[in-house]
Amino acid sequence: MRSIRSRRRLLVAVGTVLALGAGASACGSSDGGGGSGSSGSAKGKKVRLITGVKSDPFYITMTCAAQEEAKTKGMDFTADGSAQWDVSVQRPLLDSTAASRPDGLLISPVDTSALTPSLKQIQSAGTKVALVDTTVTDTSIGITRISSDNEKGGRVAADALAKLMNEKGSVIVISVKPGVSTTDARIKGFTEEMAKYPNIKALPTLYDNDLPATAASQIQSTLAAHPDLGGVFAGNTNTGQGIATGLKQAGKEGAVKVAAFDAEPDEIASLKSGTLQVLVAQDPAAIGRQAVDQLANAFEGKSVSKSIGTNMVAITKDNMNDPSVSKYFYKSQC
């Protein structure tokens, strides 16, 4: 990833799964990669997954689920990922995968446009491409796109922070970098929703290049310049970790409220300790399973869903022990 937009309904929204209309739009049998689209079998098909950052528990959770689903279908599945969120790091992985001519490719592109030529080339060569988590702006890429509703997640974070801030003070967004489809959407949803609170001043968004140490420094500088800072929205996991560290070092943990995306082990620990107050968790396992399923449908000549939105849940210290919520915690290994 439900209508969560009204702040009057936030108490109901926090802790409940945010339905995204996961019954996404199905287009007819999508060929997408130059194949025939005729009936066949998924068994034995060579499928590769390239994630955004392979050490990130979000992508580890996605990989574990995709691997298990591929195993049940008899696919030849392998996964790799970037060491860091950077086009120059991911492009060689994509080029190497293209040379092996897989039947299917699941990929989380780290930029909305820079990898488009490479993706067009591999798709034209016959590989069926599924975009997972992140996307590219060229709509001709991919037979399916599977992601959370990140814009709505940003709105949920804004409403949560506004309530925790008693609807007054300054708030700031710290995120990765411009040009990432998921975090751009989160920022858009957050800033649009926060504009509904006239007594909260939104400061200019800062970018940390996915470096926790940079986020820690940025939050400390912001605190010095804006003593009325009451809330921070972290665009992703590494940013959330950096903000938590910076606030702790400044002696402001708990005083400045933090809403962060994802539910990785370090974030769960920060939620327990009170450094983070709200986590907007995605469902990376569902993204991985659905992507494998859609590729299997394409291999077998069945209809393919062009776009699928997966569930999200708002996690707080009060509801984190509920099994219906804790199942969204991310894994650090399969």
Side-chain angles (χ1 to χ4, degrees):
M1 120 39 66
R2 112 191 172 174
S3 51
I4 310 291
R5 302 187 66 167
S6 169
R7 62 179 180 272
R8 303 298 182 199
R9 298 168 62 189
L10 178 62
L11 291 177
V12 177
V14 173
T16 60
V17 174
L18 309 178
L20 295 176
S25 58
C27 60
S29 179
S30 179
D31 190 27
S36 66
S38 59
S39 296
S41 174
K43 187 174 182 179
K45 294 293 187 182
K46 185 165 66 173
V47 173
R48 301 295 178 254
L49 167 63
I50 300 176
T51 61
V53 179
K54 63 182 176 182
S55 61
D56 187 329
F58 174 92
Y59 289 115
I60 292 172
T61 305
M62 179 193 295
T63 300
C64 294
Q67 179 175 274
E68 184 62 29
E69 190 73 0
K71 182 179 179 181
T72 66
K73 296 181 181 300
M75 293 177 174
D76 173 0
F77 178 91
T78 57
D80 201 350
S82 304
Q84 64 191 68
W85 194 272
D86 192 279
V87 171
S88 66
V89 178
Q90 192 177 62
R91 181 178 280 118
L93 294 176
L94 181 56
D95 291 343
S96 175
T97 298
S100 71
R101 298 181 66 87
D103 299 294
L105 169 66
L106 287 66
I107 184 169
S108 305
V110 298
D111 188 271
T112 55
S113 60
L115 295 166
T116 296
S118 296
L119 288 170
K120 275 184 172 292
Q121 183 176 18
I122 192 171
Q123 187 168 267
S124 297
T127 297
K128 297 186 185 300
V129 177
L131 301 181
V132 290
D133 182 40
T134 51
T135 64
V136 294
T137 52
D138 188 333
T139 57
S140 72
I141 301 295
I143 61 170
T144 186
R145 298 179 175 212
I146 306 171
S147 181
S148 308
D149 188 333
N150 287 282
E151 189 172 322
K152 288 186 179 179
R155 293 190 186 110
V156 172
D159 286 331
L161 270 186
K163 180 181 182 299
L164 292 169
M165 294 169 62
N166 295 317
E167 299 186 19
K168 62 183 180 181
S170 294
V171 69
I172 192 167
V173 178
I174 302 180
S175 191
V176 185
K177 63 178 72 173
V180 179
S181 62
T182 50
T183 51
D184 285 352
R186 294 168 194 172
I187 294 169
K188 180 176 184 291
F190 182 89
T191 54
E192 288 179 354
E193 191 71 9
M194 193 58 80
K196 298 178 180 180
Y197 300 93
N199 295 321
I200 295 179
K201 178 183 178 182
L203 303 174
T205 297
L206 298 178
Y207 296 96
D208 61 13
N209 204 35
D210 206 30
L211 298 173
T214 301
S217 175
Q218 288 173 331
I219 194 61
Q220 291 177 342
S221 298
T222 303
L223 281 166
H226 301 276
D228 68 336
L229 185 71
V232 190
F233 174 44
N236 77 334
T237 300
N238 284 344
T239 297
Q241 292 172 354
I243 290 169
T245 298
L247 289 175
K248 185 174 183 178
Q249 292 172 345
K252 291 290 188 178
E253 60 179 345
V256 176
K257 309 303 181 185
V258 184
F261 247 76
D262 296 315
E264 303 194 354
D266 287 345
E267 290 180 301
I268 295 299
S270 293
L271 190 69
K272 288 179 180 178
S273 70
T275 304
L276 301 178
Q277 283 70 46
V278 180
L279 298 178
V280 182
Q282 305 177 75
D283 193 352
I287 293 174
R289 284 193 299 268
Q290 291 270 23
V292 171
D293 289 346
Q294 295 307 309
L295 282 185
N297 285 348
F299 295 144
E300 295 168 359
K302 300 176 182 177
S303 64
V304 174
S305 296
K306 187 68 176 175
S307 177
I308 296 176
T310 55
N311 289 340
M312 293 169 62
V313 64
I315 305 175
T316 67
K317 194 172 184 178
D318 291 337
N319 69 17
M320 64 187 301
N321 293 320
D322 186 328
S324 68
V325 174
S326 60
K327 69 179 184 179
Y328 286 88
F329 293 3
Y330 302 174
K331 298 178 179 180
S332 57
Q333 60 183 4
C334 295

